[in-house]
Amino acid sequence: MIKITRLFQWTIFGVIGLFGVLGAANAIVTLAAIDRDLTRETRENSQNIAKAIADSNVDILLNNDLSTLQSRIDQMLPLLGSNGYIYITDEHNEIIAHTFVPNIPEEISTSEPTGGIIERTLKGKGDFFEVSHPILAGVGGNVHILIDQDDVSLLIQGAMGNQVWPLAITFLVAIVLGLLLVNLAARPIQQLLHYAVALAKKESVDKPQNDKLLVRKDEAGDLARLYQYFALVADPNRSGIDAK
Amino acid sequence: MNTKKTDRFSNPTRRTIVKGLAASPLVFALGANKLGAQELSQMSSNTQSSNSEFVNGVSDSQIVLGTSAAFTGPSRGLGIELYRGAMAYFQDVNSKGGVHGREIALTLYDDGYQPDPAVNNTTKLMRDDNVFALFGYVGTPTVTRVLPLLKKFQEESFLLFFPFTGAQPQRQLPYGPFAFNLRASYRQETGGLVENFVKVGREKIGVFYQADAYGRSGWAGCREALAKHNLKMVGEATYTRGTQYTASLKDQVEWFMRDKPDAIVCIGAYAACAAFLRDAIDGGLQVPIANLSFVGSENLLKLITDTHDNSEKYSQFLVNSQVVPSYNDLSLEGVQQYDEFMTKNAPSAPSEVTSKEEDYKTFDRSFVSLEGFLNAKLMTEILTRIGPEPTREGIEQAVFTIQDLDLGIGETVSFNADRRQGLDRVYYTIVENGSFVPLNDWTAASNGWTEAASS
């Protein structure tokens, strides 16, 4: 157990507070960066998948080979997490292939054509963001990718969890080290206090730690020697003091 | 020949050597080996590599075809029955000395009706087993994924024969030139069903389909057929491939209940379609429920009859399209032959690739096994026409020599560079007295469905 000297109590509280503020600020900045980067990365990945489907299946669409098209989007589906969906609309905005079970959600079947990134809530399925990419500049239809926002949140939480632990451990180690350093700084003062009390009580001060204190070349040594001087001035016959 | 037989006994592989009745102990001996797919594959590879007389799946005594199909899982009945039908014919051919002195052998793999295993199996068949040709695959999602492999290995002239799917990818560019089909397409089946429903005034047609390439193929066929009548689908719902009969499909039924269709076309496999039929009728959706040939009609009906005392309550609404004639129509020479060979050869399920844990009772007769039988009959004809020195490069030209070939089912088969599908006819069946019979009068049937719904 580390004992904190009264002299440095406020100092150590200040150090802990400072570390806390620094740690919290670091965590907020890091977690915000993770949230922003992973959200952006997920959306970019979705856009890339949509683009890949749109660009690589033009011939299949022009051949009206919907079973091969379905096979292709089925292969892409595992890339979208546990609850992702793909659907493809033709130039008339009619859905010609999709991965919904047991049916196409009404929010989608009745919606107007979309583009870019939008957010959707699908009844019974959750909250999604939807990424779209045109096929042949839109004249061949559009590819739509739905990513479950819960999946993204889980991904972000997982990444945050990975960051929070190192930050928390660093914070604790810093506090312990701070305490140790303050304690190290306070030790000569405590020795000086014990020496001064012994002189005042006219107790024996012939101890190895006092010898070490008296030969120190810092403020603690100067003060120890000054106390010794005052003790000898007050009582020149006092024994047990080896004037240095 | 004798030495080879001894070798096969001592070094069994998962290859099924199709023998006649006289050699049935050999079939049994091979079939009884409980080997995992990987072990089997390794053993086969070792056998192939140590047996230098095999060149591209052909030796002096054998010609080897490769199959990847569903032998396990909820659609296993399709792979097993198709295989049994083919075996009934091949066993007879082999018992009479084979084709130009060579027995026809099948190298089998199970893909469980899943695309990724089908791709892996096909790669093994092409690269490790180096079979002569691919034969008797099952399913659209599997075949659709396998087709690019045929293009990849086109320099080795691999061809896929008579897959059990009516989807378009193997019937049109870019993969059409790598396959030959015997059966009519899903477009033809769905087109016929829609046409007949519309004719009897049932214009509000919903589609229940498997959420994959197969379902999409049938969905597209329905959409196209409806568009010819300026109609659109009235409701659609999907299910996940591999859905078992025990699953509830009430959500899908509820969806249709809102739209109230006059008829529903199902594009699925038997377990899910039987579950949908059950939940639809129980949920008050009492309209004709049509299924395509792929469903495996007998398997579907068996699930319903095994679990319900009053199975007619459900089966009276069934109308299934078929791509082969009724196996009960013994006026047809080809069906007579099928009937005779199924009795004589009594083909069993391929124990090498089926699961010991999954109980499966084979059917004496079925539309699927009849299709397998006709596939094998036509394949044998092709192998015969290739001649005594078969090469993969020679297969296509041999197929193109087939013109107006009579398989004994009242419809001739012809092939050429632009025609790679042998049959076009679609048959319609309903259930009477617990079995499927031809549907000849759609008006009477429609009236019957209306009466049944109102009662």
Short mmCIF file of all heavy atoms in Angstrom, two decimals, chain A residues 63-68 70-72 74-75 90 94-98 100-106, chain B residues 144-145 169 172-173 187 209 211-213 216-217 219-220 223 236-240 251-252 255 258:
data_model
loop_
_atom_site.label_atom_id
_atom_site.label_comp_id
_atom_site.label_asym_id
_atom_site.label_seq_id
_atom_site.Cartn_x
_atom_site.Cartn_y
_atom_site.Cartn_z
N ASN A 63 -28.60 -9.98 -71.11
CA ASN A 63 -29.10 -11.28 -71.58
C ASN A 63 -30.37 -11.71 -70.83
O ASN A 63 -30.91 -12.77 -71.10
CB ASN A 63 -28.05 -12.38 -71.36
CG ASN A 63 -26.94 -12.29 -72.37
OD1 ASN A 63 -27.11 -11.72 -73.44
ND2 ASN A 63 -25.79 -12.85 -72.03
N ASN A 64 -30.77 -10.91 -69.85
CA ASN A 64 -31.94 -11.22 -69.04
C ASN A 64 -31.79 -12.56 -68.32
O ASN A 64 -32.74 -13.29 -68.12
CB ASN A 64 -33.21 -11.24 -69.92
CG ASN A 64 -34.45 -11.00 -69.10
OD1 ASN A 64 -34.38 -10.40 -68.02
ND2 ASN A 64 -35.58 -11.47 -69.58
N ASP A 65 -30.54 -12.89 -67.96
CA ASP A 65 -30.26 -14.15 -67.26
C ASP A 65 -30.35 -13.90 -65.76
O ASP A 65 -29.34 -13.75 -65.08
CB ASP A 65 -28.87 -14.64 -67.67
CG ASP A 65 -28.52 -15.96 -67.03
OD1 ASP A 65 -29.37 -16.51 -66.29
OD2 ASP A 65 -27.39 -16.43 -67.23
N LEU A 66 -31.56 -13.88 -65.27
CA LEU A 66 -31.77 -13.49 -63.87
C LEU A 66 -31.30 -14.54 -62.88
O LEU A 66 -30.95 -14.22 -61.74
CB LEU A 66 -33.25 -13.16 -63.64
CG LEU A 66 -33.79 -11.98 -64.46
CD1 LEU A 66 -35.22 -11.66 -64.05
CD2 LEU A 66 -32.92 -10.75 -64.32
N SER A 67 -31.28 -15.80 -63.30
CA SER A 67 -30.82 -16.83 -62.35
C SER A 67 -29.32 -16.70 -62.09
O SER A 67 -28.87 -16.86 -60.96
CB SER A 67 -31.18 -18.24 -62.82
OG SER A 67 -30.80 -18.45 -64.13
N THR A 68 -28.55 -16.38 -63.13
CA THR A 68 -27.12 -16.17 -62.91
C THR A 68 -26.90 -14.90 -62.09
O THR A 68 -26.05 -14.87 -61.19
CB THR A 68 -26.37 -16.06 -64.26
OG1 THR A 68 -26.56 -17.27 -64.99
CG2 THR A 68 -24.88 -15.83 -64.06
N GLN A 70 -28.91 -13.74 -59.84
CA GLN A 70 -29.24 -14.11 -58.47
C GLN A 70 -28.09 -14.88 -57.83
O GLN A 70 -27.73 -14.65 -56.66
CB GLN A 70 -30.51 -14.96 -58.46
CG GLN A 70 -31.00 -15.35 -57.07
CD GLN A 70 -31.59 -14.18 -56.30
OE1 GLN A 70 -32.35 -13.41 -56.86
NE2 GLN A 70 -31.23 -14.05 -55.04
N SER A 71 -27.51 -15.78 -58.61
CA SER A 71 -26.39 -16.57 -58.11
C SER A 71 -25.23 -15.64 -57.71
O SER A 71 -24.60 -15.84 -56.67
CB SER A 71 -25.93 -17.56 -59.19
OG SER A 71 -24.79 -18.23 -58.80
N ARG A 72 -24.98 -14.62 -58.52
CA ARG A 72 -23.89 -13.68 -58.22
C ARG A 72 -24.16 -12.91 -56.93
O ARG A 72 -23.26 -12.73 -56.10
CB ARG A 72 -23.71 -12.69 -59.38
CG ARG A 72 -23.30 -13.34 -60.70
CD ARG A 72 -21.80 -13.56 -60.75
NE ARG A 72 -21.44 -14.31 -61.94
CZ ARG A 72 -21.20 -13.76 -63.13
NH1 ARG A 72 -21.30 -12.46 -63.29
NH2 ARG A 72 -20.87 -14.52 -64.16
N ASP A 74 -26.08 -13.78 -54.51
CA ASP A 74 -26.04 -14.73 -53.38
C ASP A 74 -24.59 -14.93 -52.90
O ASP A 74 -24.34 -15.09 -51.71
CB ASP A 74 -26.63 -16.08 -53.77
CG ASP A 74 -28.15 -16.02 -53.93
OD1 ASP A 74 -28.75 -15.01 -53.49
OD2 ASP A 74 -28.73 -16.94 -54.51
N GLN A 75 -23.67 -14.93 -53.85
CA GLN A 75 -22.27 -15.10 -53.48
C GLN A 75 -21.73 -13.90 -52.72
O GLN A 75 -20.84 -14.02 -51.90
CB GLN A 75 -21.42 -15.30 -54.74
CG GLN A 75 -21.56 -16.67 -55.36
CD GLN A 75 -20.74 -16.76 -56.63
OE1 GLN A 75 -19.52 -16.71 -56.61
NE2 GLN A 75 -21.40 -16.86 -57.76
N ASP A 90 -34.56 -2.88 -62.12
CA ASP A 90 -34.30 -2.63 -63.55
C ASP A 90 -34.54 -1.14 -63.85
O ASP A 90 -34.76 -0.34 -62.94
CB ASP A 90 -35.15 -3.56 -64.42
CG ASP A 90 -36.63 -3.31 -64.29
OD1 ASP A 90 -37.02 -2.30 -63.66
OD2 ASP A 90 -37.42 -4.13 -64.80
N GLU A 94 -38.31 -1.79 -61.13
CA GLU A 94 -38.91 -3.04 -60.68
C GLU A 94 -37.80 -3.94 -60.14
O GLU A 94 -36.73 -4.05 -60.75
CB GLU A 94 -39.62 -3.74 -61.85
CG GLU A 94 -40.42 -4.93 -61.39
CD GLU A 94 -41.16 -5.63 -62.53
OE1 GLU A 94 -41.22 -5.07 -63.63
OE2 GLU A 94 -41.63 -6.75 -62.30
N ILE A 95 -38.06 -4.57 -59.00
CA ILE A 95 -37.03 -5.44 -58.40
C ILE A 95 -36.96 -6.75 -59.19
O ILE A 95 -37.94 -7.47 -59.30
CB ILE A 95 -37.35 -5.70 -56.92
CG1 ILE A 95 -37.28 -4.38 -56.15
CG2 ILE A 95 -36.36 -6.70 -56.33
CD1 ILE A 95 -37.74 -4.47 -54.70
N ILE A 96 -35.77 -7.04 -59.74
CA ILE A 96 -35.63 -8.23 -60.59
C ILE A 96 -34.79 -9.32 -59.93
O ILE A 96 -34.72 -10.45 -60.42
CB ILE A 96 -35.04 -7.87 -61.97
CG1 ILE A 96 -33.74 -7.08 -61.81
CG2 ILE A 96 -36.06 -7.09 -62.80
CD1 ILE A 96 -33.00 -6.86 -63.12
N ALA A 97 -34.14 -9.00 -58.84
CA ALA A 97 -33.41 -10.02 -58.06
C ALA A 97 -33.21 -9.45 -56.66
O ALA A 97 -33.00 -8.25 -56.51
CB ALA A 97 -32.07 -10.35 -58.71
N HIS A 98 -33.30 -10.32 -55.67
CA HIS A 98 -33.12 -9.84 -54.30
C HIS A 98 -32.81 -11.02 -53.38
O HIS A 98 -32.87 -12.18 -53.81
CB HIS A 98 -34.38 -9.10 -53.82
CG HIS A 98 -35.57 -9.99 -53.64
ND1 HIS A 98 -35.79 -10.75 -52.52
CD2 HIS A 98 -36.62 -10.25 -54.48
CE1 HIS A 98 -36.90 -11.43 -52.65
NE2 HIS A 98 -37.43 -11.16 -53.83
N PHE A 100 -34.21 -11.10 -50.08
CA PHE A 100 -35.12 -11.01 -48.93
C PHE A 100 -35.89 -12.32 -48.71
O PHE A 100 -36.34 -12.93 -49.66
CB PHE A 100 -36.15 -9.89 -49.14
CG PHE A 100 -35.54 -8.52 -49.20
CD1 PHE A 100 -35.50 -7.83 -50.40
CD2 PHE A 100 -35.02 -7.92 -48.07
CE1 PHE A 100 -34.94 -6.57 -50.48
CE2 PHE A 100 -34.45 -6.66 -48.14
CZ PHE A 100 -34.41 -5.98 -49.35
N VAL A 101 -36.02 -12.69 -47.47
CA VAL A 101 -36.87 -13.82 -47.06
C VAL A 101 -37.66 -13.34 -45.84
O VAL A 101 -37.05 -12.77 -44.92
CB VAL A 101 -36.03 -15.05 -46.69
CG1 VAL A 101 -36.92 -16.17 -46.16
CG2 VAL A 101 -35.22 -15.56 -47.88
N PRO A 102 -38.96 -13.49 -45.75
CA PRO A 102 -39.84 -14.22 -46.67
C PRO A 102 -40.41 -13.37 -47.80
O PRO A 102 -41.10 -13.91 -48.65
CB PRO A 102 -40.97 -14.68 -45.73
CG PRO A 102 -41.06 -13.60 -44.70
CD PRO A 102 -39.66 -13.10 -44.51
N ASN A 103 -40.15 -12.06 -47.79
CA ASN A 103 -40.68 -11.24 -48.88
C ASN A 103 -39.96 -9.90 -48.93
O ASN A 103 -39.21 -9.56 -48.02
CB ASN A 103 -42.19 -11.02 -48.71
CG ASN A 103 -42.55 -10.71 -47.28
OD1 ASN A 103 -41.90 -9.87 -46.66
ND2 ASN A 103 -43.51 -11.41 -46.73
N ILE A 104 -40.21 -9.17 -49.99
CA ILE A 104 -39.60 -7.85 -50.13
C ILE A 104 -40.32 -6.90 -49.16
O ILE A 104 -41.54 -6.79 -49.22
CB ILE A 104 -39.75 -7.32 -51.56
CG1 ILE A 104 -39.14 -8.31 -52.56
CG2 ILE A 104 -39.11 -5.95 -51.71
CD1 ILE A 104 -39.53 -8.04 -54.00
N PRO A 105 -39.60 -6.24 -48.26
CA PRO A 105 -40.26 -5.35 -47.31
C PRO A 105 -41.04 -4.26 -48.05
O PRO A 105 -40.60 -3.76 -49.08
CB PRO A 105 -39.10 -4.74 -46.52
CG PRO A 105 -37.99 -5.71 -46.67
CD PRO A 105 -38.14 -6.30 -48.03
N GLU A 106 -42.19 -3.94 -47.50
CA GLU A 106 -43.04 -2.92 -48.14
C GLU A 106 -42.33 -1.59 -48.27
O GLU A 106 -42.55 -0.87 -49.25
CB GLU A 106 -44.31 -2.74 -47.30
CG GLU A 106 -45.43 -3.66 -47.74
CD GLU A 106 -46.73 -3.35 -47.02
OE1 GLU A 106 -46.69 -3.22 -45.80
OE2 GLU A 106 -47.75 -3.25 -47.72
N THR B 144 -25.42 -23.63 -61.86
CA THR B 144 -25.09 -22.26 -62.27
C THR B 144 -23.67 -21.90 -61.85
O THR B 144 -22.95 -21.22 -62.58
CB THR B 144 -26.09 -21.26 -61.64
OG1 THR B 144 -27.40 -21.65 -62.04
CG2 THR B 144 -25.84 -19.84 -62.11
N ARG B 145 -23.26 -22.39 -60.69
CA ARG B 145 -21.90 -22.08 -60.22
C ARG B 145 -20.85 -22.97 -60.87
O ARG B 145 -19.67 -22.62 -60.90
CB ARG B 145 -21.85 -22.24 -58.70
CG ARG B 145 -22.60 -21.18 -57.92
CD ARG B 145 -21.82 -19.89 -57.80
NE ARG B 145 -20.53 -20.12 -57.18
CZ ARG B 145 -20.34 -20.26 -55.87
NH1 ARG B 145 -21.36 -20.14 -55.04
NH2 ARG B 145 -19.13 -20.47 -55.38
N PRO B 169 -29.24 -20.63 -67.54
CA PRO B 169 -27.80 -20.44 -67.78
C PRO B 169 -27.14 -21.52 -68.64
O PRO B 169 -26.26 -21.20 -69.45
CB PRO B 169 -27.21 -20.44 -66.36
CG PRO B 169 -28.30 -19.89 -65.53
CD PRO B 169 -29.57 -20.44 -66.12
N GLN B 172 -28.22 -21.05 -72.61
CA GLN B 172 -27.95 -19.85 -73.42
C GLN B 172 -26.50 -19.42 -73.22
O GLN B 172 -25.81 -19.91 -72.33
CB GLN B 172 -28.92 -18.73 -73.03
CG GLN B 172 -28.78 -18.28 -71.60
CD GLN B 172 -29.90 -17.32 -71.17
OE1 GLN B 172 -31.02 -17.40 -71.62
NE2 GLN B 172 -29.57 -16.40 -70.28
N LEU B 173 -26.08 -18.51 -74.04
CA LEU B 173 -24.71 -18.00 -73.93
C LEU B 173 -24.54 -17.29 -72.59
O LEU B 173 -25.50 -16.77 -72.06
CB LEU B 173 -24.43 -17.02 -75.08
CG LEU B 173 -24.33 -17.66 -76.46
CD1 LEU B 173 -24.26 -16.58 -77.54
CD2 LEU B 173 -23.12 -18.58 -76.55
N ARG B 187 -38.71 -22.19 -67.98
CA ARG B 187 -39.52 -21.22 -68.73
C ARG B 187 -40.72 -21.92 -69.37
O ARG B 187 -41.83 -21.40 -69.37
CB ARG B 187 -38.70 -20.55 -69.83
CG ARG B 187 -37.95 -19.34 -69.38
CD ARG B 187 -37.32 -18.63 -70.54
NE ARG B 187 -36.47 -17.54 -70.03
CZ ARG B 187 -35.63 -16.87 -70.76
NH1 ARG B 187 -35.50 -17.14 -72.05
NH2 ARG B 187 -34.91 -15.90 -70.25
N TYR B 209 -41.14 -18.91 -53.99
CA TYR B 209 -39.91 -19.44 -54.60
C TYR B 209 -38.73 -19.47 -53.63
O TYR B 209 -38.68 -18.74 -52.66
CB TYR B 209 -39.54 -18.65 -55.86
CG TYR B 209 -39.34 -17.17 -55.70
CD1 TYR B 209 -38.06 -16.63 -55.70
CD2 TYR B 209 -40.42 -16.30 -55.59
CE1 TYR B 209 -37.86 -15.26 -55.59
CE2 TYR B 209 -40.23 -14.93 -55.47
CZ TYR B 209 -38.94 -14.42 -55.46
OH TYR B 209 -38.76 -13.07 -55.34
N ALA B 211 -35.13 -18.73 -52.40
CA ALA B 211 -34.33 -17.50 -52.54
C ALA B 211 -32.94 -17.83 -53.07
O ALA B 211 -31.94 -17.75 -52.36
CB ALA B 211 -34.25 -16.78 -51.21
N ASP B 212 -32.89 -18.22 -54.33
CA ASP B 212 -31.60 -18.47 -54.98
C ASP B 212 -31.79 -18.50 -56.50
O ASP B 212 -32.85 -18.09 -57.01
CB ASP B 212 -30.97 -19.78 -54.46
CG ASP B 212 -31.75 -21.02 -54.83
OD1 ASP B 212 -32.76 -20.91 -55.57
OD2 ASP B 212 -31.35 -22.12 -54.41
N ALA B 213 -30.80 -19.00 -57.20
CA ALA B 213 -30.82 -18.97 -58.67
C ALA B 213 -31.97 -19.79 -59.24
O ALA B 213 -32.58 -19.41 -60.26
CB ALA B 213 -29.50 -19.49 -59.21
N ARG B 216 -35.18 -17.85 -58.71
CA ARG B 216 -35.19 -16.69 -59.60
C ARG B 216 -35.49 -17.11 -61.03
O ARG B 216 -36.18 -16.41 -61.77
CB ARG B 216 -33.83 -15.98 -59.51
CG ARG B 216 -33.73 -14.68 -60.28
CD ARG B 216 -34.73 -13.65 -59.80
NE ARG B 216 -34.63 -13.41 -58.37
CZ ARG B 216 -35.58 -12.83 -57.66
NH1 ARG B 216 -36.70 -12.43 -58.23
NH2 ARG B 216 -35.44 -12.65 -56.35
N SER B 217 -34.97 -18.26 -61.42
CA SER B 217 -35.21 -18.75 -62.78
C SER B 217 -36.70 -18.99 -62.99
O SER B 217 -37.27 -18.56 -64.01
CB SER B 217 -34.42 -20.05 -62.99
OG SER B 217 -34.52 -20.47 -64.31
N TRP B 219 -39.16 -17.76 -61.15
CA TRP B 219 -39.83 -16.46 -60.98
C TRP B 219 -39.79 -15.69 -62.30
O TRP B 219 -40.81 -15.11 -62.73
CB TRP B 219 -39.11 -15.68 -59.88
CG TRP B 219 -39.58 -14.29 -59.62
CD1 TRP B 219 -40.55 -13.90 -58.75
CD2 TRP B 219 -39.11 -13.09 -60.24
NE1 TRP B 219 -40.69 -12.53 -58.77
CE2 TRP B 219 -39.82 -12.01 -59.69
CE3 TRP B 219 -38.14 -12.80 -61.20
CZ2 TRP B 219 -39.61 -10.68 -60.06
CZ3 TRP B 219 -37.92 -11.49 -61.58
CH2 TRP B 219 -38.66 -10.44 -61.02
N ALA B 220 -38.62 -15.69 -62.93
CA ALA B 220 -38.49 -14.98 -64.21
C ALA B 220 -39.39 -15.60 -65.27
O ALA B 220 -39.99 -14.88 -66.09
CB ALA B 220 -37.03 -15.00 -64.66
N ARG B 223 -42.94 -14.47 -64.58
CA ARG B 223 -43.07 -13.05 -64.90
C ARG B 223 -43.21 -12.85 -66.41
O ARG B 223 -44.06 -12.09 -66.88
CB ARG B 223 -41.82 -12.34 -64.38
CG ARG B 223 -41.73 -10.86 -64.62
CD ARG B 223 -40.48 -10.37 -63.88
NE ARG B 223 -40.16 -8.99 -64.12
CZ ARG B 223 -39.12 -8.59 -64.83
NH1 ARG B 223 -38.34 -9.47 -65.42
NH2 ARG B 223 -38.86 -7.30 -64.96
N GLU B 236 -45.68 -12.32 -53.98
CA GLU B 236 -44.56 -13.24 -54.07
C GLU B 236 -43.94 -13.39 -52.69
O GLU B 236 -43.99 -12.47 -51.88
CB GLU B 236 -43.50 -12.77 -55.08
CG GLU B 236 -42.91 -11.42 -54.79
CD GLU B 236 -41.83 -11.04 -55.81
OE1 GLU B 236 -40.70 -11.51 -55.65
OE2 GLU B 236 -42.14 -10.29 -56.75
N ALA B 237 -43.42 -14.56 -52.43
CA ALA B 237 -42.76 -14.80 -51.14
C ALA B 237 -41.63 -15.80 -51.37
O ALA B 237 -41.67 -16.59 -52.32
CB ALA B 237 -43.75 -15.36 -50.12
N THR B 238 -40.66 -15.75 -50.50
CA THR B 238 -39.47 -16.59 -50.68
C THR B 238 -39.21 -17.44 -49.44
O THR B 238 -39.77 -17.20 -48.37
CB THR B 238 -38.22 -15.72 -50.92
OG1 THR B 238 -38.08 -14.86 -49.79
CG2 THR B 238 -38.36 -14.89 -52.18
N TYR B 239 -38.35 -18.41 -49.60
CA TYR B 239 -37.86 -19.18 -48.45
C TYR B 239 -36.38 -19.49 -48.68
O TYR B 239 -35.89 -19.40 -49.81
CB TYR B 239 -38.67 -20.48 -48.26
CG TYR B 239 -38.35 -21.55 -49.27
CD1 TYR B 239 -37.37 -22.52 -49.02
CD2 TYR B 239 -39.01 -21.60 -50.49
CE1 TYR B 239 -37.06 -23.49 -49.94
CE2 TYR B 239 -38.69 -22.57 -51.43
CZ TYR B 239 -37.72 -23.51 -51.15
OH TYR B 239 -37.41 -24.47 -52.08
N THR B 240 -35.71 -19.85 -47.62
CA THR B 240 -34.28 -20.12 -47.69
C THR B 240 -34.02 -21.56 -48.14
O THR B 240 -34.67 -22.49 -47.63
CB THR B 240 -33.63 -19.91 -46.31
OG1 THR B 240 -33.99 -18.59 -45.86
CG2 THR B 240 -32.12 -20.02 -46.37
N ASP B 251 -45.50 -17.21 -42.30
CA ASP B 251 -45.24 -15.81 -42.69
C ASP B 251 -45.48 -15.64 -44.19
O ASP B 251 -46.07 -14.65 -44.63
CB ASP B 251 -43.79 -15.44 -42.38
CG ASP B 251 -43.58 -15.19 -40.89
OD1 ASP B 251 -44.59 -15.08 -40.18
OD2 ASP B 251 -42.41 -15.12 -40.47
N GLN B 252 -45.00 -16.61 -44.95
CA GLN B 252 -45.17 -16.54 -46.41
C GLN B 252 -46.66 -16.65 -46.76
O GLN B 252 -47.14 -15.93 -47.65
CB GLN B 252 -44.39 -17.67 -47.08
CG GLN B 252 -42.88 -17.47 -47.15
CD GLN B 252 -42.14 -17.85 -45.88
OE1 GLN B 252 -42.73 -18.06 -44.81
NE2 GLN B 252 -40.83 -17.97 -45.98
N TRP B 255 -48.53 -13.48 -46.15
CA TRP B 255 -48.23 -12.50 -47.21
C TRP B 255 -49.17 -12.69 -48.40
O TRP B 255 -49.70 -11.73 -48.96
CB TRP B 255 -46.77 -12.67 -47.61
CG TRP B 255 -46.22 -11.49 -48.34
CD1 TRP B 255 -45.97 -11.38 -49.67
CD2 TRP B 255 -45.84 -10.23 -47.77
NE1 TRP B 255 -45.47 -10.16 -49.97
CE2 TRP B 255 -45.38 -9.42 -48.83
CE3 TRP B 255 -45.86 -9.70 -46.48
CZ2 TRP B 255 -44.93 -8.12 -48.64
CZ3 TRP B 255 -45.41 -8.40 -46.30
CH2 TRP B 255 -44.95 -7.63 -47.36
N ARG B 258 -52.94 -11.64 -47.98
CA ARG B 258 -53.27 -10.22 -48.19
C ARG B 258 -53.60 -9.96 -49.66
O ARG B 258 -54.43 -9.11 -49.97
CB ARG B 258 -52.08 -9.35 -47.79
CG ARG B 258 -51.77 -9.44 -46.33
CD ARG B 258 -50.63 -8.57 -45.90
NE ARG B 258 -49.90 -7.93 -47.00
CZ ARG B 258 -48.98 -7.01 -46.83
NH1 ARG B 258 -48.67 -6.63 -45.62
NH2 ARG B 258 -48.34 -6.49 -47.85
#
